[in-house]
Amino acid sequence: GAGVSQSPRYKVAKRGQDVALRCDPISGHVSLFWYQQALGQGPEFLTYFQNEAQLDKSGLPSDRFFAERPEGSVSTLKIQRTQQEDSAVYLCASSWDRYSTEAFFGQGTRLTVV
Amino acid sequence: AQSVTQPDIHITVSEGASLELRCNYSYGATPYLFWYVQSPGQGLQLLLKYFSGDTLVQGIKGFEAEFKRSQSSFNLRKPSVHWSDAAEYFCAVGDGTDKLIFGTGTRLQVFP
């Protein structure tokens, strides 16, 4: 596709519900990143994939957060048992190389936990 | 650990005026430096980046930034602001591994 596509754009979840956020990176991009952007803050790194391998998950805030990219293309960020503090915009980015030297960002998924 | 500080939370300028957004970073070696812009409901768009070489970097939409090692700064400038420049601006630093460290952003408001 022309850019990074994320779905859904908006998600409202009841506390305790599981959610899955999808990211379609730019075709051919080997690197994929997930960031969390809380209201009024800058994006914070969650995790990084190179092809299907998850090479860095140091930013995942708890074991309720899980990400996968099984075929090295589409990625899913899953949050189990959502809590109010999970409310944020989740941004996905992809790039040709592993160094995020030119990462292209999607529009994000705004998650609201009520 | 790397960090980025954007001291100005909110800046207001008149259309046609010049603009400078401040960014200070903390990093031991020569960092990779970026400026991104985020319009409401949109993702981040890369304005410009610095890796090495000429310390004055030109970007899209008429923006430029200057890397000053002695001041640990990478300020973004534009000589004449347009109303369409109103947005949130983020400075980021990368260390050549996989992640970017972002500042908290500066919201730019432009008055006609």
Side-chain angles (χ1 to χ4, degrees):
Chain A
V4 178
S5 178
Q6 293 187 244
S7 61
R9 288 292 313 279
Y10 304 92
K11 176 69 177 178
V12 178
K14 292 184 178 180
R15 192 170 55 182
Q17 185 179 353
D18 297 349
V19 298
L21 312 180
R22 177 187 169 103
C23 173
D24 281 88
I26 293 173
S27 179
H29 277 192
V30 299
S31 295
L32 186 144
F33 310 85
W34 283 99
Y35 286 82
Q36 180 191 58
Q37 186 176 18
L39 188 64
Q41 301 296 314
E44 292 190 356
F45 172 82
L46 292 177
T47 187
Y48 159 69
F49 290 86
Q50 186 174 353
N51 296 308
E52 69 278 5
Q54 189 175 21
L55 299 185
D56 187 344
K57 53 182 180 180
S58 61
L60 295 177
S62 77
D63 59 7
R64 297 186 295 104
F65 286 72
F66 172 75
E68 61 183 6
R69 193 186 185 198
E71 297 179 358
S73 177
V74 172
S75 178
T76 304
L77 177 67
K78 298 179 180 178
I79 309 174
Q80 296 177 324
R81 304 180 304 281
T82 53
Q83 300 177 5
Q84 280 196 312
E85 60 261 32
D86 300 334
S87 296
V89 175
Y90 291 85
L91 295 167
C92 176
S94 68
S95 70
W96 288 109
D97 60 22
R98 70 163 293 179
Y99 299 116
S100 61
T101 53
E102 186 154 2
F104 293 84
F105 282 80
Q107 292 181 304
T109 294
R110 180 177 296 278
L111 172 65
T112 303
V113 181
V114 298
Chain B
Q2 304 90 8
S3 66
V4 176
T5 301
Q6 293 181 250
D8 305 305
I9 296 173
H10 185 203
I11 284 184
T12 301
V13 300
S14 298
E15 191 170 19
S18 63
L19 172 70
E20 182 170 29
L21 303 183
R22 295 184 291 166
C23 173
N24 293 95
Y25 67 90
S26 173
Y27 182 63
T30 299
Y32 296 164
L33 293 163
F34 306 81
W35 275 100
Y36 282 87
V37 61
Q38 186 177 39
S39 298
Q42 301 298 312
L44 296 164
Q45 182 182 21
L46 180 66
L47 287 175
L48 47 78
K49 59 186 178 184
Y50 171 79
F51 294 158
S52 64
D54 193 347
T55 56
L56 185 62
V57 181
Q58 301 298 320
I60 62 171
K61 304 184 179 185
F63 285 92
E64 66 178 26
E66 186 171 12
F67 170 59
K68 293 185 177 180
R69 183 190 302 276
S70 62
Q71 298 177 19
S72 297
S73 70
F74 189 57
N75 294 349
L76 182 71
R77 301 193 295 249
K78 186 170 184 177
S80 179
V81 172
H82 188 264
W83 65 266
S84 61
D85 293 325
E88 187 94 21
Y89 291 80
F90 292 94
C91 181
V93 62
D95 62 0
T97 62
D98 48 71
K99 64 177 71 69
L100 295 177
I101 309 298
F102 286 86
T104 52
T106 297
R107 180 169 297 279
L108 174 65
Q109 191 170 8
V110 180
F111 280 115

